[in-house]
Coordinates of all heavy atoms in Angstrom, one line a residue:
A20 N 5.8 9.4 -7.1 CA 7.1 9.5 -7.9 C 6.7 9.7 -9.3 O 7.3 10.7 -10.0 CB 7.8 8.3 -7.7
S21 N 5.8 8.9 -9.9 CA 5.6 9.0 -11.5 C 4.8 10.3 -11.6 O 5.0 11.0 -12.7 CB 4.7 7.8 -11.9 OG 3.5 7.7 -11.1
L22 N 3.9 10.7 -10.7 CA 3.2 12.0 -10.9 C 4.2 13.2 -11.0 O 4.1 14.0 -11.9 CB 2.2 12.2 -9.8 CG 1.0 13.1 -10.0 CD1 0.0 12.3 -10.9 CD2 0.4 13.5 -8.7
S23 N 5.0 13.1 -10.0 CA 6.1 14.3 -10.0 C 7.0 14.2 -11.2 O 7.4 15.3 -11.7 CB 6.9 14.3 -8.7 OG 7.7 13.2 -8.7
L24 N 7.2 13.0 -11.7 CA 8.1 13.0 -12.9 C 7.3 13.6 -14.1 O 7.9 14.4 -14.9 CB 8.2 11.5 -13.3 CG 9.2 10.7 -12.5 CD1 9.3 9.3 -12.8 CD2 10.6 11.3 -12.6
L25 N 5.9 13.3 -14.2 CA 5.1 13.9 -15.3 C 5.1 15.5 -15.2 O 5.3 16.2 -16.2 CB 3.8 13.4 -15.3 CG 3.5 12.1 -15.8 CD1 2.1 11.7 -15.8 CD2 4.1 11.9 -17.2
F26 N 5.0 15.9 -13.9 CA 4.8 17.4 -13.6 C 6.2 18.1 -14.0 O 6.1 19.2 -14.5 CB 4.6 17.5 -12.1 CG 4.3 19.0 -11.8 CD1 3.1 19.6 -12.3 CD2 5.2 19.8 -11.1 CE1 2.9 20.8 -11.9 CE2 4.9 21.1 -10.8 CZ 3.7 21.7 -11.2
L27 N 7.3 17.4 -13.8 CA 8.6 18.0 -14.0 C 9.0 18.0 -15.5 O 10.0 18.6 -15.8 CB 9.6 17.5 -13.2 CG 9.5 17.8 -11.7 CD1 10.4 16.8 -10.8 CD2 9.7 19.1 -11.4
L28 N 8.3 17.4 -16.3 CA 8.7 17.3 -17.7 C 8.9 18.5 -18.4 O 7.9 19.5 -18.4 CB 7.6 16.5 -18.6 CG 7.5 14.9 -18.4 CD1 6.5 14.4 -19.2 CD2 8.8 14.4 -18.7
P29 N 10.0 18.8 -19.0 CA 10.3 20.1 -19.6 C 9.4 20.3 -20.9 O 9.0 21.4 -21.2 CB 11.7 20.0 -20.1 CG 12.1 18.6 -20.0 CD 11.2 18.0 -19.1
Q30 N 9.0 19.2 -21.5 CA 8.1 19.1 -22.7 C 6.7 19.8 -22.3 O 6.2 20.5 -23.2 CB 7.8 17.8 -23.3 CG 9.1 17.3 -24.0 CD 10.0 16.4 -23.0 OE1 9.8 16.5 -21.8 NE2 10.9 15.7 -23.5
V31 N 6.3 19.6 -21.1 CA 5.0 20.1 -20.7 C 5.1 21.7 -20.6 O 4.3 22.3 -21.1 CB 4.6 19.5 -19.3 CG1 3.3 20.2 -18.7 CG2 4.3 18.0 -19.4
A32 N 6.1 22.0 -20.0 CA 6.4 23.6 -20.0 C 6.4 24.2 -21.3 O 5.9 25.3 -21.6 CB 7.6 23.9 -19.2
Q33 N 7.1 23.6 -22.2 CA 7.2 24.1 -23.5 C 5.9 24.1 -24.3 O 5.6 25.1 -25.0 CB 8.3 23.1 -24.3 CG 9.0 23.9 -25.4 CD 10.1 22.9 -26.0 OE1 10.4 22.0 -25.5 NE2 10.6 23.3 -27.3
A34 N 5.2 23.0 -24.1 CA 3.8 23.0 -24.8 C 2.9 23.9 -24.3 O 2.2 24.7 -25.0 CB 3.3 21.6 -24.6
N35 N 3.0 24.2 -22.9 CA 2.1 25.2 -22.3 C 2.5 26.7 -22.8 O 1.7 27.5 -23.2 CB 2.3 25.3 -20.8 CG 1.7 24.2 -20.1 OD1 0.8 23.5 -20.7 ND2 2.1 23.8 -19.0
E36 N 3.9 26.9 -23.1 CA 4.3 28.2 -23.5 C 3.8 28.3 -25.0 O 3.4 29.4 -25.4 CB 5.9 28.0 -23.5 CG 6.5 29.5 -23.6 CD 8.0 29.4 -23.5 OE1 8.6 28.7 -22.8 OE2 8.6 30.0 -24.5
M37 N 3.8 27.2 -25.8 CA 3.4 27.4 -27.1 C 1.8 27.7 -27.2 O 1.4 28.5 -28.0 CB 3.7 26.0 -27.9 CG 5.1 25.8 -28.3 SD 5.8 27.2 -29.1 CE 4.6 27.5 -30.5
S38 N 1.1 27.0 -26.3 CA -0.4 27.2 -26.3 C -0.6 28.6 -25.9 O -1.5 29.3 -26.5 CB -0.9 26.3 -25.3 OG -0.8 25.0 -25.8
Q39 N 0.2 29.2 -25.0 CA 0.0 30.6 -24.5 C 0.3 31.4 -25.7 O -0.4 32.5 -26.1 CB 1.2 30.8 -23.5 CG 1.1 32.3 -22.9 CD 0.0 32.6 -22.1 OE1 -0.7 31.7 -21.6 NE2 -0.4 33.8 -22.0
K40 N 1.3 31.2 -26.6 CA 1.7 32.0 -27.7 C 0.5 32.0 -28.7 O 0.3 33.0 -29.3 CB 3.0 31.4 -28.4 CG 4.3 32.1 -27.8 CD 5.5 31.7 -28.6 CE 6.8 32.1 -27.8 NZ 7.9 31.3 -28.4
V41 N 0.0 30.8 -29.0 CA -1.1 30.6 -30.0 C -2.3 31.5 -29.5 O -2.9 32.2 -30.2 CB -1.5 29.1 -30.1 CG1 -2.7 29.0 -30.9 CG2 -0.4 28.4 -30.9
Q42 N -2.5 31.4 -28.2 CA -3.6 32.2 -27.7 C -3.4 33.7 -27.9 O -4.3 34.5 -28.3 CB -3.7 31.9 -26.2 CG -5.1 32.0 -25.6 CD -5.2 31.7 -24.2 OE1 -4.4 30.8 -23.7 NE2 -6.1 32.3 -23.5
E43 N -2.2 34.2 -27.6 CA -1.8 35.6 -27.7 C -2.0 36.0 -29.2 O -2.5 37.1 -29.5 CB -0.4 35.8 -27.3 CG -0.3 35.9 -25.9 CD 1.2 35.8 -25.3 OE1 2.1 35.9 -26.2 OE2 1.4 35.7 -24.1
Q44 N -1.6 35.1 -30.1 CA -1.6 35.4 -31.5 C -3.0 35.5 -31.9 O -3.4 36.3 -32.7 CB -0.9 34.3 -32.4 CG -0.8 34.6 -33.7 CD 0.2 35.7 -34.1 OE1 0.9 36.1 -33.2 NE2 0.2 36.2 -35.3

Side-chain angles (χ1 to χ4, degrees):
S21 55
L22 203 77
S23 65
L24 285 176
L25 285 184
F26 186 70
L27 290 168
L28 283 177
Q30 289 89 343
V31 171
Q33 208 174 343
N35 287 344
E36 202 182 303
M37 281 316 303
S38 295
Q39 176 74 22
K40 272 189 194 163
V41 166
Q42 212 180 329
E43 281 167 8
Q44 188 69 11

